[in-house]
Amino acid sequence: MAQTRPRATERLQVRARVVEAAAHLLHEHGPAAVTTRAVAEAAATQAPTIYRLFGDKDGLLDAVAEHVMATYVTVKSAAAETAGADGVDPVADLRTGWHAHVAFGVANPALFRLLHDPDRAATSPASAAGLEVLRARVHRVAAAGRLRVGERRAAELLHAAATGAVLTLLALPPHERDLDLADALWAVTSPAVLTDAAPVAAGGGDTAVATAVSFRAVVDELPAFSDAERALMVEWLDRAISTSGGAPRP
């Protein structure tokens, strides 16, 4: 047992060193630079060690993507939780998070492309965690009565817009990238997702939908209903939201 622990610790240390070296090469030079030889030299280890730890280059790239994205998501999650606890305007927090996502993508082009490969994104824990942070922000906006569509539709629209903004910018030479595109895209997308005011103060056709979305956001937390009553209420609210043009919260 005494020998097993040092070996396990050493293995984790080597793994971390390899991932850090590969992450640096990926950020500075792109995926083509992440060769087994280059990573082994940078991490002061042997190529067979990398194969034992990660299987192949794709396995190594997966580990790098998860490492960098997980670090970013951890920071983003902490910021989102602090914003919720401190009473920060949930709409302002959503906008800040959306722009931070765009900025992260532009600053980490190789990683962003890896994580947004449809095949990789479908199985990436870090990508899933990032989406959960977005959904949590959207949920707080819904609870405040500021969504004009269901939570799922809002999250999908915002995620698609942010991802599209980053991929469009990355397709351009760096000197031609206009970061104001993100502001312009937010200005176009946000009115499709957000109301101008909470339901009590709002008027017109958005009021009923925003109220339904707001109630749907908190109905699971109401203790006065039985499980059957709560399920029926959720069904009614989801139907009201979906028939009004917004997909209900999953």
Side-chain angles (χ1 to χ4, degrees):
M1 181 68 70
Q3 290 181 344
T4 302
R5 287 178 180 172
R7 287 177 182 173
T9 300
E10 182 180 357
R11 179 184 176 89
L12 290 174
Q13 290 173 342
V14 172
R15 190 182 193 281
R17 197 164 68 241
V18 169
V19 169
E20 289 286 352
H24 177 75
L25 288 169
L26 177 67
H27 180 74
E28 294 297 325
H29 307 292
V34 187
T35 65
T36 304
R37 174 179 292 183
V39 173
E41 290 178 357
T45 189
Q46 301 296 317
T49 300
I50 296 177
Y51 287 116
R52 285 196 299 270
L53 290 172
F54 304 100
D56 55 19
K57 179 179 176 179
D58 283 342
L60 176 58
L61 286 173
D62 284 339
V64 170
E66 294 303 319
H67 167 70
V68 177
M69 190 64 178
T71 302
Y72 168 68
V73 168
T74 298
V75 173
K76 190 166 70 166
S77 297
E81 290 173 4
T82 300
D86 291 347
V88 173
D89 177 7
V91 173
D93 178 54
L94 179 64
R95 184 180 188 278
T96 298
W98 190 87
H99 280 278
H101 182 73
V102 173
F104 175 83
V106 173
N108 298 273
L111 176 64
F112 192 87
R113 291 188 181 100
L114 280 175
L115 286 171
H116 288 80
D117 179 311
D119 294 333
R120 192 183 301 269
T123 58
S124 167
S127 294
L131 284 173
E132 282 305 310
V133 174
L134 171 62
R135 289 169 184 148
R137 282 190 160 109
V138 168
H139 180 64
R140 285 194 290 273
V141 174
R146 293 293 306 277
L147 282 187
R148 69 169 70 246
V149 296
E151 292 183 44
R152 183 177 65 192
R153 177 64 58 81
E156 288 172 349
L157 285 170
L158 292 168
H159 179 68
T163 301
V166 175
L167 293 177
T168 298
L169 290 169
L170 293 182
L172 298 170
H175 66 279
E176 292 183 14
R177 293 172 188 168
D178 181 4
L179 297 182
D180 287 342
L181 174 68
D183 292 322
L185 196 52
W186 172 265
V188 171
T189 306
S190 58
V193 172
L194 304 171
T195 63
D196 292 332
V200 172
D206 290 336
T207 303
V209 178
T211 301
V213 173
S214 179
F215 190 30
R216 175 65 178 87
V218 299
V219 69
D220 292 336
E221 304 167 16
L222 299 175
F225 301 104
S226 68
D227 290 343
E229 290 170 334
R230 190 175 292 107
L232 183 58
M233 189 171 297
V234 165
E235 180 183 346
W236 287 342
L237 289 168
D238 283 348
R239 189 187 309 164
I241 295 166
S242 62
T243 56
S244 300
R249 182 187 175 198

